[in-house]
Amino acid sequence: MRTWREVRGFPVAVQLLLVNQLGVNTGFYLLIPYLATHLGENLGMSAAVVGIVLGVRNLSQQGLFIIGGSASDRLGARGVIIAGCALRTVGFALFALGDGLPVLLAASVLSGLAGALFNPAVRTYLAQEAGERKAEAFALFNVFATTGALIGPLLGSALLLVDFRTSALTAAGIFAVLTVAQALVLPARKVEPSGSGVLGDWREVLGNRTFLAFALAMVGMFTLENQLYLLLPDGAREATGWDGAAGIVFLVGTVANLALQLRITRSLKSRGSRVRWIAVGLGVMGLAFLPPALVAGTGSPGWLDAGPVLLGALLLYLGIMIASPFVMELIPRFGRPELTGTYFGIFYVVSGIAAAVGNTVVGWAMDAGESGGHVWLPWVCCAVFGLVSAGGVARLHRRGALPAEPAPAVSAQAGERSSA
């Protein structure tokens, strides 16, 4: 109930963006986790072709975040959000209706480009609309996103009992509803010109070395977040011998997020430097992989071994809950308000590339650990990523290189006393 009261305390635009993120993650995870199986088993495509289709979608999104960010600054975040959701509607509908490789590649490009447009645009609009309550707004954003990431696969599993096309059309329908809702409800904001061309904006942001250092330091957060869909579900399945154990990982995270995210953010916001809490959160994310490492490959599957894996999942979610809202709050403060979208776009490009490298290292560690009998290796590798990232952020903080903390809000009574 407290979460809903907090949601109602924000403007209608913020409330819509929160619901939007719930719908975006529901629609995305309803379809994408099952796409490879559809392409391989239903359409009979080779593993290489499946990899190309999935890779095109990922490359279209990760590589074009900068386009979505710049478009948000120059055209207004509202229009970019609407365009992104509309494109994803078309892309997911093509997955449902097309069987040929050209149609599937077009669907991959459109759905990836859609994410590249609305991801930075939503965060830009949220940062602008939330004012001094950015941390709380992004905390709620995480709650809605995590809930959608749980609902999506559950709904997708049910719809797949019918067929993949039904699942894809349902996902497209969700994005169509979101497109219409944003067009009708989301207010337009005045766009302030940046005073330079697009390339000039990019040079300004890329010339901010402290910002780039911070984005690279976030490799731990993005690499370890991805393990919620790779290493931790795999560890849960191996620990229990039950394929459905992966769903418990997401259930633990969703319940923890609903119960604790807002409380954690509001509590830490007034207790010391927020950048320090980013470093603490990254450290907790790294330490989350040590309990599963202790039981990795210990013997026959059993529910007793699932405890450390679920503890690791809980700690990972806690670390994300600590760090993520303050990371999102910090990014706009690196530069001018007119370039907020560009900063978000380039942040996701830089950290996304770094995380892709990190995920490659984790994948190598999984293969090497399994073949060499050192099944703890990927877990320890992830712990190192988290702790190194925490150290990088802490070092930037100690040097005073990061933007200044926002001034604490002054209550109405305090303002009256100071003016008396």
Side-chain angles (χ1 to χ4, degrees), residues 398-415:
R398 285 196 303 270
R399 290 172 52 195
L402 297 176
E405 300 282 338
V410 180
S411 68
Q413 289 181 345

Side-chain angles (χ1 to χ4, degrees), residues 78-93:
R78 175 184 180 273
V80 178
I81 294 170
I82 295 170
C85 282
L87 281 177
R88 184 154 283 182
T89 301
V90 176
F92 280 8

Side-chain angles (χ1 to χ4, degrees), residues 23 111 122-123 161 170 314 329 355 364 404:
S111 60
V122 165
R123 287 156 178 80
L161 296 176
T170 301
L314 178 60
E329 179 192 47
W364 169 85

Side-chain angles (χ1 to χ4, degrees), residues 296-313:
T298 54
S300 59
W303 280 100
L304 189 62
D305 288 345
V309 177
L310 294 179
L311 174 61

